[in-house]
């Protein structure tokens, strides 16, 4: 079994990175939508810190996924897919990549320009990537917030398209990103037993 992508399906490394990113985005979104309503206190600080650490993890995974994509290649389009659908799918993929970079980086800029410390799961501190600035803090916050809603819309559209292909077009768009069983190799038919007329006579027979 090859770890790289093949012409017909995504390999196990690409599948693992894809679903890890999906789970991370879901966790970050849930935390991000609930943490702002929490009352001030140690619990809120811990939840914000977790949100930031997961965002940095997402950034790392997206970089790794993009590098693996360039190395391992991509499967060819599913047979029968119209060219316009291929173009939309390609544009959607690259827009998702752009947003998955933009959101963690804008959050990092917002954190730096607001003067907050940034730790990764409490293990070590990360450097500031921007000077303190109220204007930059407000701008990066807006990019982070509105970019999230755009990312959510694209993720839902991407998932909806995959399920549409699976349920209504009955093609492999969805299943080739899932761990799948290989098609069983056909079992060769057993050779028929030779008939009596085909059995050679014993050389010593009279």
């Amino acid at each position: 079994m090859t770890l790289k992508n093949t012409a017909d399906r995504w390999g196990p490394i690409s599948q693992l990175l894809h679903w890890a990113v999906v789970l991370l985005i879901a966790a970050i979104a849930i935390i991000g939508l609930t943490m702002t309503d929490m009352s001030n206190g140690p619990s809120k600080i811990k939840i914000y810190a977790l949100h930031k650490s997961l965002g940095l993890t997402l950034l790392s995974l997206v970089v790794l996924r993009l590098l693996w994509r360039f190395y391992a290649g991509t499967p060819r389009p599913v047979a029968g897919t119209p060219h316009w659908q291929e173009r939309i799918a390609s544009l959607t993929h690259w827009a998702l990549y752009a947003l998955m970079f933009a959101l963690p980086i804008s959050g990092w800029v917002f954190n730096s320009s607001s003067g907050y410390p940034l730790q990764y799961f409490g293990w070590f501190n990360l450097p500031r990537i921007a000077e303190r600035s109220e204007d930059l803090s407000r701008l990066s916050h807006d990019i982070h917030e509105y970019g999230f809603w755009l990312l959510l819309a694209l993720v839902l559209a991407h998932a909806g398209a995959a399920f549409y292909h699976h349920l209504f077009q009955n093609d492999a768009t969805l299943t080739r990103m899932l761990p799948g069983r290989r098609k069983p190799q056909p079992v060769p038919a057993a050779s028929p037993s030779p008939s009596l007329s085909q059995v050679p006579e014993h050389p010593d027979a009279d």
Side-chain angles (χ1 to χ4, degrees):
M1 179 184 71
T2 178
L3 296 179
K4 295 176 68 175
N5 305 321
T6 66
D8 297 320
R9 62 183 288 110
W10 298 94
I13 300 297
S14 292
Q15 293 177 13
L16 177 63
L17 291 172
H18 175 272
W19 293 111
V21 165
V22 170
L23 291 176
L24 261 180
I25 290 176
I28 292 169
I30 293 171
I31 293 172
L33 291 172
T34 57
M35 67 186 187
T36 54
D37 295 328
M38 296 177 63
S39 57
N40 293 331
S43 296
K44 186 172 185 177
I45 294 174
K46 289 181 180 179
I47 291 297
Y48 265 83
L50 176 61
H51 177 79
K52 296 172 187 179
S53 295
L54 291 177
L56 293 169
T57 304
L58 174 64
L59 180 60
S60 301
L61 282 182
V62 172
V63 171
L64 182 60
R65 184 179 173 188
L66 195 57
L67 291 174
W68 180 257
R69 180 188 178 105
F70 285 132
Y71 169 73
T74 58
R76 62 193 173 198
V78 174
T81 303
H83 181 68
W84 65 269
Q85 288 187 9
E86 293 179 25
R87 292 295 299 164
I88 291 177
S90 178
L91 290 173
T92 301
H93 274 106
W94 289 112
L96 286 169
Y97 274 113
L99 287 168
M100 287 187 292
F101 274 108
L103 264 66
I105 292 174
S106 63
W108 196 345
V109 171
F110 170 70
N111 196 83
S112 298
S113 59
S114 300
Y116 299 129
L118 182 59
Q119 289 187 334
Y120 186 69
F121 290 110
W123 298 336
F124 54 85
N125 293 325
L126 280 86
R128 297 179 184 272
I129 58 173
E131 296 296 328
R132 292 200 62 170
S133 168
E134 186 176 339
D135 291 338
L136 183 57
S137 175
R138 184 163 48 249
L139 175 61
S140 56
H141 178 272
D142 290 343
I143 292 174
H144 195 71
E145 180 178 354
Y146 295 123
F148 162 74
W149 293 112
L150 180 56
L151 175 65
L152 181 60
L154 287 179
V155 166
L156 292 176
H158 176 66
F163 280 106
Y164 175 81
H165 276 268
H166 182 70
L167 296 174
F168 298 103
Q169 296 192 219
N170 198 30
D171 62 28
T173 299
L174 175 62
T175 55
R176 66 183 186 169
M177 187 51 92
L178 299 173
R181 298 175 182 172
R182 299 296 179 186
K183 292 183 178 180
Q185 296 295 325
V187 178
S191 302
S193 301
S195 61
L196 292 177
S197 61
Q198 294 175 319
V199 177
E201 294 183 357
H202 194 278
D204 295 332
D206 292 336

